[in-house]
Amino acid sequence: MSDSPPPQRSAVQSVDEPLAQQRRRRRKRYNNGVKVFRRVHMYFGLVLTPFVLLYGVTALLFNHPSWLSTTEIEMIDSAELGFDGLGDPGAAAAHAIEVLNEASDREIVLDPSREVSFTGTIVIDARTESGSARYRVPADGGPAQIGRTVSASGGRSLEIEEIEPEPGAAAEVGSLIRGVAGHAGVRRLNVRSVPDVEFGALVDGEPWVVSVDARDGEVSARPVDQPSRPLSIRGYVLRLHTAHTYPDEASTRWVWAVIVDVIGVLMIFWALSGLIMWWQMKPMRRWGAVATGGGLVLAGVLGYAMFRAIFF
């Protein structure tokens, strides 16, 4: 055997080796941290799967009110309710211009470039012996929609001697209230909304938006570049969160409704695909099953408690 000495390490190699070991240790710590992060993400996802499914499904139900609904829709002629419309919005606009000119020293005239119209529909809720009914009546007296919902408890009969329209309500609205009361067979109603008359006006040549409350004739006006309600980041974000359903015409709200549908479907997909991906990782099946079972138990207990809190 040869007695040759072992190879000598260079100074560069002796310096690089500790650096390489340090890099390997840092890489190992990083990989371990990412592994823990992925595990925590997966287990929390499995626990919250029932809630993610709930939010995905309810987003779709909010966006499509007719899905899984127990409400029966019926269309009738508004004449059956003794209603032929709120009248000419142009007359209300002309009267509002007079009121504004009397209350201001500025020159106010109707803006011919903007349409004079009612905003929205009249919505009246009625409690019947079998449940409840919601009447949606167009301001122009077109076909009215009735949504009837049968109460699980059979409902209660409401007997009141005489219906009293809301104070200051327009004569047409009062007539419609009496017509709905007779059609629904009750005398106690809740008027949820009455459309305003909205039109444009020129105030010393500056474009404004004017609204007339159909209930009491109150007139309000604002410049077109001024928001219709106080600006608030919180209010804006909350309205974005609750905005749903498809409008009758293609608009920004229609595109938003499409996004709500997409998010609802993706939440359901994320929840179900997460279960599939977890099941494919055999070492994680045991603790994943514990997390999934715990999530189901938690959802069941909270679901029952919320059911009691909401309906009883």
Side-chain angles (χ1 to χ4, degrees):
M1 295 180 62
S2 173
D3 293 332
S4 59
Q8 298 293 324
R9 294 185 179 183
S10 66
V12 175
Q13 287 178 319
S14 60
V15 172
D16 287 345
E17 185 174 352
L19 293 177
Q21 291 176 350
Q22 292 177 8
R23 285 195 294 266
R24 285 195 295 269
R25 284 196 295 268
R26 285 197 297 266
R27 173 60 62 178
K28 185 177 181 180
R29 286 196 298 268
Y30 172 80
N31 290 338
N32 289 337
V34 171
K35 183 179 179 180
V36 172
F37 184 82
R38 288 200 302 262
R39 294 293 184 266
V40 172
H41 174 84
M42 183 188 69
Y43 290 134
F44 271 112
L46 292 174
V47 170
L48 297 178
T49 292
F51 300 93
V52 175
L53 286 172
L54 171 68
Y55 279 97
V57 171
T58 52
L60 295 176
L61 294 181
F62 266 118
N63 224 25
H64 301 272
S66 62
W67 290 8
L68 300 180
S69 175
T70 58
T71 301
E72 297 181 359
I73 302 298
E74 175 188 356
M75 301 298 296
I76 65 169
D77 194 328
S78 293
E80 296 184 33
L81 305 175
F83 181 73
D84 59 0
L86 289 178
D88 179 18
H95 176 69
I97 291 292
E98 294 179 5
V99 172
L100 291 173
N101 277 302
E102 292 176 359
S104 173
D105 57 358
R106 305 175 69 178
E107 181 185 5
I108 304 174
V109 298
L110 191 67
D111 186 351
S113 65
R114 291 178 62 94
E115 180 183 4
V116 180
S117 61
F118 290 105
T119 59
T121 60
I122 306 170
V123 180
I124 301 177
D125 288 342
R127 173 69 67 177
T128 66
E129 293 185 359
S130 59
S132 62
R134 171 165 292 183
Y135 289 73
R136 295 181 179 274
V137 187
D140 60 2
Q145 181 191 88
I146 307 175
R148 302 184 187 275
T149 303
V150 178
S151 173
S153 61
R156 292 192 178 94
S157 176
L158 299 175
E159 297 294 339
I160 298 179
E161 290 298 325
E162 184 177 355
I163 180 172
E164 292 292 339
E166 294 191 7
E172 295 84 354
V173 177
S175 175
L176 175 60
I177 292 173
R178 291 186 288 273
V180 171
H183 187 273
V186 297
R187 292 184 179 274
R188 183 175 179 180
L189 306 171
N190 176 31
V191 181
R192 294 183 60 88
S193 68
V194 175
D196 296 337
V197 177
E198 187 172 284
F199 59 94
L202 297 176
V203 181
D204 290 340
E206 179 186 357
W208 281 50
V209 177
V210 182
S211 296
V212 182
D213 192 324
R215 297 194 192 196
D216 53 20
E218 181 181 353
V219 180
S220 60
R222 59 178 174 83
V224 293
D225 57 355
Q226 177 179 315
S228 58
R229 53 177 56 88
L231 286 176
S232 165
I233 294 179
R234 171 187 167 82
Y236 171 64
V237 173
L238 290 179
R239 289 183 69 86
L240 284 180
H241 179 75
T242 56
H244 58 276
T245 69
Y246 286 83
D248 295 331
E249 71 285 343
S251 61
T252 302
R253 292 185 65 92
W254 189 91
V255 177
W256 186 264
V258 172
I259 298 299
V260 172
D261 273 347
V262 172
I263 293 298
V265 172
L266 284 179
M267 290 182 74
I268 297 173
F269 170 77
W270 289 332
L272 298 179
S273 61
L275 291 174
I276 295 174
M277 294 172 64
W278 153 66
W279 189 252
Q280 290 177 338
M281 295 183 291
K282 293 183 178 181
M284 301 295 104
R285 286 183 180 178
R286 176 179 298 177
W287 287 110
V290 172
T292 304
L296 290 173
V297 171
L298 177 63
V301 171
L302 283 178
Y304 178 74
M306 289 298 295
F307 170 78
R308 298 289 304 180
I310 293 172
F311 291 103
F312 296 92

